[in-house]
Amino acid sequence: MIRVDIDSLILHRAEQIRRAENILPPGTQDRSISGKGDRAVWCGAIGQAVFERAMEEYGVAFGTDAVITHDYRVPAGRLEVKTKERSVEPRPDYEGSAYAYNQAWQRPDWIAFVSLKFAPGYDKASAPTLEKYEAGWVMGCIPYDRFSDKAFVVEKGGHLPNGQEAGFVSLNIEYHALESIEALKGGENE
């Protein structure tokens, strides 16, 4: 796990990501599949900015593709980043999720997971503000084919380890099954 504090540079980069992806332009109706609106867009943008910081610190070269099928191109191939919000610091036995509805178009070479911890006084229902998160953790990554083999299905309405009910069918994997982001260097690190 790699901890990344949410600083002004992360927030600035997240704003750039949110504007570039232009998923929910101001004043428009939420057309996202999840129906989570701008809160989900902001969560994902912060997660990507956290992941970019970690890739820079660990020497993983990357290019931003920002397309529906994947977020980045790294030496090991196409990469999709999934982000989850938490009220506590993540642990290796916690789970990362990829919603099943994405599986029709998201088949990257690698999938990576980030956890964001809410700042005091914030939760899932809080508006997407600059102060919403205090830190992020890059939990790791895994080749997509291996993720598909190891992940388990959580049905909509199913009980999650955190006591909540799943809002969508998802493929989940425990973080301890993930690899270091240095694996994204591909042949460079062999």
Side-chain angles (χ1 to χ4, degrees):
M1 297 188 321
I2 302 167
R3 181 188 162 105
V4 176
D5 290 326
I6 307 296
D7 61 21
S8 61
L9 294 175
I10 294 281
L11 295 171
H12 177 71
R13 179 61 184 136
E15 269 300 334
Q16 291 176 326
I17 292 167
R18 180 162 65 172
R19 278 195 307 272
E21 292 189 2
N22 199 28
I23 296 168
L24 292 169
T28 63
Q29 182 178 0
D30 181 5
R31 298 180 313 261
S32 63
I33 294 172
S34 71
K36 293 181 179 180
D38 200 38
R39 289 188 316 270
V41 173
W42 185 237
C43 173
I46 293 280
Q48 286 179 235
V50 163
F51 200 82
E52 286 180 10
R53 169 78 58 84
M55 286 194 292
E56 290 167 355
E57 289 178 3
Y58 281 77
V60 178
F62 67 93
T64 304
D65 288 351
V67 293
I68 195 166
T69 56
H70 63 282
D71 297 314
Y72 301 100
R73 186 162 301 278
V74 295
R78 295 166 297 131
L79 170 70
E80 176 68 16
V81 176
K82 297 297 181 188
T83 305
K84 187 172 277 205
E85 300 171 312
R86 301 189 178 283
S87 57
V88 297
E89 292 185 14
R91 299 186 334 211
D93 60 318
Y94 286 7
E95 299 168 4
S97 302
Y99 291 145
Y101 64 72
N102 285 328
Q103 304 310 303
W105 57 81
Q106 285 185 343
R107 296 286 177 169
D109 300 307
W110 287 78
I111 188 167
F113 295 92
V114 172
S115 279
L116 300 177
K117 183 177 182 286
F118 293 116
Y122 290 87
D123 61 21
K124 286 185 179 294
S126 300
T129 66
L130 297 177
E131 299 82 20
K132 188 170 184 176
Y133 307 107
E134 68 179 35
W137 283 261
V138 172
M139 304 308 296
C141 58
I142 188 169
Y144 193 84
D145 290 343
R146 197 168 330 134
F147 168 73
S148 295
D149 290 341
K150 288 187 170 204
F152 52 93
V153 175
V154 175
E155 296 292 340
K156 181 177 180 178
H159 294 285
L160 299 171
N162 62 6
Q164 297 181 2
E165 286 188 8
F168 299 92
V169 176
S170 64
L171 299 174
N172 285 20
I173 191 166
E174 290 185 352
Y175 292 136
H176 64 77
L178 304 177
E179 298 179 33
S180 163
I181 67 168
E182 291 179 293
L184 299 174
K185 294 178 181 180
E188 291 180 13
N189 63 348
E190 294 175 351

